[in-house]
Amino acid sequence: MISRFKQTWAFVYRDYQLTRRYWSWVVVFTVYAVVSGASVALIGVASNDRKLTLTLTIGVLFWSVLSVLFNEIAMSIAFERWEGTLEYTFMAPVSRLIHLTGVSLYAAAYSTLRAIAVLGGLFLFLDLDFTGANLFGLLIVLVVSSLAFVGLGLIAAILPVMSPERGAEATNIFQSILLLVSGVYYPISVLPKWVQPFAALSPATYALNASRKLLGVETMTPDGKLIGQPLASVQSELVTLAALGLLLVPLGLWVFGMAERWAKRTGKLKRTG
Amino acid sequence: MSCLAIRVSQVKKVFRKRTGWWRGQSTEEWALKGVSFHLKQGEAYGLLGPNGSGKSTLIRVLSTLLVPDGGEVEVLGYKLPEQEAQVRERIGRVSVDAAFYKKLSARENLLYSAFLYGFDKAEAEKRAREILGRLGFPLRRFSDPLEEASRGMQQKVAIARALLLQPPLLLLDEPTTGLDPKSKREVQEFIEELRRESGTTILLTTHDMFEAERLCDRIGMLAHGSLVAEGSAEDLVRLAGGGTLEDAFIKLSGEKLTGEEEATAEGA
């Protein structure tokens, strides 16, 4: 048990040290996230529409957490290919469950800190007031939806295992499709009819629906006061998110195991891409 | 438990490559064509062969990174790929390319490896410093990013990573390629010391005939995925009709290569 804890810690330790050593890039990405987030949210300010501003802000914040969480997990294998360490990780006596749990734990902590930094940055550009919002409920939604995004990240992480040349590119396309179909900045109804069914497959759709209800965007008073809905009002979204998490995490581990065995048969682990 | 550290029997590995993205043709390249050999525990065995002869493929099979397409592989009494978890706990590998997180220091890379194998931080750091010191790594550079270290220093860290785990079997895939003569000698001396003190079994691939002669009890020569000769350095020289081990290598692998190509051509 202690040995497994140390093995899990190995991935947290490694990723923390890499973040520390690449600190200037972390600053660049965070500043970029703040500026692009503020640029999106300011569209609501320009329209003099508080409801739109908050809709966009919650989209920026949730996407900030979930996309980074997804990206850190999905790209963990691609990073190892670039560094040339993939074979050493795969020949260590560590189960894939422990490996991916370690990667996911660090990704969760990193994405949360990044989102807090983005929120802090948004306060510099926007007059944000969350009085009346159900912030505890938002936290619950974030935690539950994180599980589903971990599962999606695990599934996407197989792409760099299977294709040294194109895996990382495919992972980014996958992430951009999630952004498109999930209604991060707009209602699903504005998407073309043929795209709308895909929204139902994305955990972000449910997370954003729930978070906007809990924030009170839909039930705002005429003078702009937020009336955050109770957690019970988002029960169906929470159940769906939990079900997606419980389905996607084991599915992700299973397909990752399949991809690993395939890569070992075909010699795909060797090449660094 | 078998007293053999490695038993490889008729191992085959083929790589298939598809050309074109849609209904392209598939080409096959046989990396291993039925290789058989064994290593006793505590023995040092050298694998010599030209580039592309299958040495690294064989090391990857033994490292649990490749599943063979035929034949049987046993490492320290455990069958591969069925018992790969047990094998992974007992082997250390050094490859020709020092595969590290280059932004991280030797200390950070080694601690990461140590944690993966369930070691304590204090114990791992102490042992890492001890091994690196014996390998002639300047310890003042222990906490510097490895991207600032020379190839020789990086390779010493790679060797330390494998030894940190105190494995009974070491797979050394061209560990001294690209090292300066002094570093090369330090690594070779350390490998000798390791065998003397710990009785570690060593499988070494190298292009350096002197290194193979110095470090290995027996040598196998691979050419085009087949083991074409095996024995002590003296046996191989005698088999080749005298000269040096290099002469024997060129003669034995070259002659066999030509013969194989002809045989394949006739068969086709």
Side-chain angles (χ1 to χ4, degrees):
Chain A
M1 190 65 192
I2 293 170
S3 172
R4 281 180 188 168
F5 174 76
K6 283 181 192 159
Q7 290 176 329
T8 310
W9 171 248
F11 295 98
V12 177
Y13 172 82
R14 176 199 67 181
D15 290 348
Y16 166 70
Q17 296 297 346
L18 284 169
T19 306
R20 200 171 63 82
R21 294 281 186 182
Y22 283 102
W23 67 269
S24 55
W25 279 110
V26 173
V27 171
V28 169
F29 290 138
T30 307
V31 169
Y32 185 84
V34 169
V35 172
S36 60
S39 306
V40 169
L42 283 168
I43 295 170
V45 178
S47 310
N48 199 22
D49 186 336
R50 182 160 152 76
K51 185 178 169 185
L52 177 61
T53 306
L54 284 169
T55 299
L56 294 173
T57 302
I58 204 75
V60 166
L61 289 174
F62 260 73
W63 190 245
S64 179
V65 179
L66 299 178
S67 66
V68 173
L69 178 63
F70 170 84
N71 195 58
E72 286 291 312
I73 298 168
M75 294 297 282
S76 61
I77 300 299
F79 293 146
E80 293 228 43
R81 278 207 184 276
W82 293 333
E83 295 276 9
T85 55
L86 189 62
E87 285 194 332
Y88 283 89
T89 300
F90 275 53
M91 67 174 277
V94 177
S95 74
R96 222 40 74 209
L97 175 65
I98 286 175
H99 172 191
L100 297 168
T101 300
V103 168
S104 303
L105 280 175
Y106 183 78
Y110 176 69
S111 60
T112 305
L113 289 174
R114 256 282 293 273
I116 291 170
V118 170
L119 177 62
L122 289 183
F123 272 107
L124 298 174
F125 299 93
L126 304 165
D127 181 21
L128 293 172
D129 179 7
F130 294 116
T131 309
N134 184 349
L135 295 177
F136 176 72
L138 280 171
L139 192 66
I140 299 285
V141 169
L142 193 63
V143 171
V144 177
S145 56
S146 293
L147 200 63
F149 263 74
V150 167
L152 279 181
L154 296 178
I155 293 168
I158 69 165
L159 298 170
V161 175
M162 297 181 75
S163 172
E165 299 90 357
R166 298 280 169 261
E169 288 94 324
T171 302
N172 280 298
I173 291 171
F174 188 56
Q175 187 179 338
S176 65
I177 292 170
L178 277 179
L179 172 65
L180 177 77
V181 303
S182 305
V184 175
Y185 302 124
Y186 42 76
I188 303 298
S189 57
V190 304
L191 287 169
K193 283 269 183 282
W194 65 271
V195 180
Q196 289 183 24
F198 294 105
L201 301 173
S202 167
T205 305
Y206 305 99
L208 287 157
N209 275 346
S211 62
R212 282 172 183 142
K213 284 183 194 170
L214 293 166
L215 191 66
V217 177
E218 305 298 329
T219 47
M220 192 187 291
T221 60
D223 59 343
K225 192 169 180 295
L226 295 174
I227 304 172
Q229 299 299 295
L231 205 53
S233 69
V234 295
Q235 194 180 358
S236 67
E237 284 92 343
L238 278 175
V239 169
T240 309
L241 283 169
L244 281 172
L246 290 173
L247 171 77
L248 290 173
V249 171
L251 181 67
L253 285 167
W254 182 71
V255 293
F256 196 96
M258 298 271 284
E260 183 180 342
R261 282 191 287 280
W262 179 83
K264 283 181 179 177
R265 280 201 309 274
T266 54
K268 293 282 184 188
L269 288 183
K270 179 190 168 188
R271 289 153 65 193
T272 51
Chain B
M1 178 79 70
S2 162
C3 68
L4 292 179
I6 294 176
R7 188 179 71 81
V8 170
S9 176
Q10 287 300 310
V11 164
K12 298 182 178 85
K13 185 70 207 169
V14 61
F15 294 112
R16 293 182 178 86
K17 194 174 180 184
R18 192 172 281 277
T19 52
W21 68 279
W22 180 251
R23 293 190 178 190
Q25 289 203 326
S26 179
T27 56
E28 283 189 349
E29 194 179 323
W30 283 90
L32 298 172
K33 300 175 185 169
V35 173
S36 300
F37 74 102
H38 69 270
L39 256 90
K40 292 180 205 136
Q41 293 201 5
E43 192 179 21
Y45 188 97
L47 269 177
L48 301 181
N51 291 329
S53 58
K55 303 187 297 296
S56 295
T57 299
L58 196 51
I59 294 273
R60 282 193 168 84
V61 168
L62 295 167
S63 309
T64 76
L65 294 167
L66 265 180
V67 177
D69 294 312
E72 288 178 9
V73 183
E74 256 182 50
V75 176
L76 298 164
Y78 297 104
K79 281 193 174 181
L80 284 178
E82 294 87 349
Q83 294 174 295
E84 62 177 19
Q86 288 89 335
V87 172
R88 283 180 192 162
E89 286 171 6
R90 293 165 174 83
I91 57 169
R93 172 177 169 238
V94 179
S95 56
V96 62
D97 50 333
F100 284 112
Y101 296 95
K102 303 288 190 298
K103 280 272 180 202
L104 301 190
S105 65
R107 177 180 178 273
E108 289 154 359
N109 271 294
L110 292 175
L111 280 181
Y112 163 58
S113 287
F115 292 145
L116 281 182
Y117 286 77
F119 279 70
D120 281 327
K121 186 180 173 186
E123 178 195 355
E125 190 158 347
K126 185 176 164 229
R127 191 160 162 72
R129 283 178 174 275
E130 191 185 302
I131 296 167
L132 285 174
R134 283 164 69 184
L135 282 166
F137 180 93
L139 289 173
R140 64 179 188 284
R141 307 286 300 273
F142 192 46
S143 297
D144 294 347
L146 276 176
E147 64 184 0
E148 295 169 11
S150 66
R151 156 108 181 101
M153 280 197 266
Q154 289 185 8
Q155 198 60 5
K156 284 173 184 175
V157 178
I159 293 166
R161 172 173 57 189
L163 297 177
L164 194 63
L165 321 166
Q166 297 174 292
L169 173 62
L170 259 185
L171 305 170
L172 305 175
D173 192 5
E174 300 182 35
T176 58
T177 298
L179 298 190
D180 62 66
K182 183 172 174 286
S183 298
K184 192 178 252 194
R185 186 172 288 185
E186 282 168 341
V187 170
Q188 289 168 349
E189 281 169 2
F190 189 78
I191 293 170
E192 285 178 324
E193 202 179 307
L194 191 74
R195 282 195 68 200
R196 266 198 315 273
E197 289 177 5
S198 316
T200 308
T201 308
I202 289 169
L203 176 62
L204 169 81
T205 75
T206 182
H207 290 296
D208 184 333
M209 302 296 144
F210 171 74
E211 183 171 274
E213 215 167 345
R214 174 178 175 173
L215 297 177
C216 303
D217 304 316
R218 286 188 304 137
I219 294 167
M221 287 189 179
L222 268 179
H224 274 214
S226 300
L227 196 67
V228 294
E230 192 185 38
S232 67
E234 295 78 29
D235 290 341
L236 294 172
V237 168
R238 204 176 308 122
L239 194 67
T244 63
L245 185 60
E246 192 168 282
D247 296 330
F249 170 72
I250 291 167
K251 194 168 181 185
L252 292 170
S253 61
E255 278 183 1
K256 189 71 182 179
L257 264 175
T258 314
E260 263 183 14
E261 278 163 2
E262 282 167 1
T264 311
E266 281 164 16

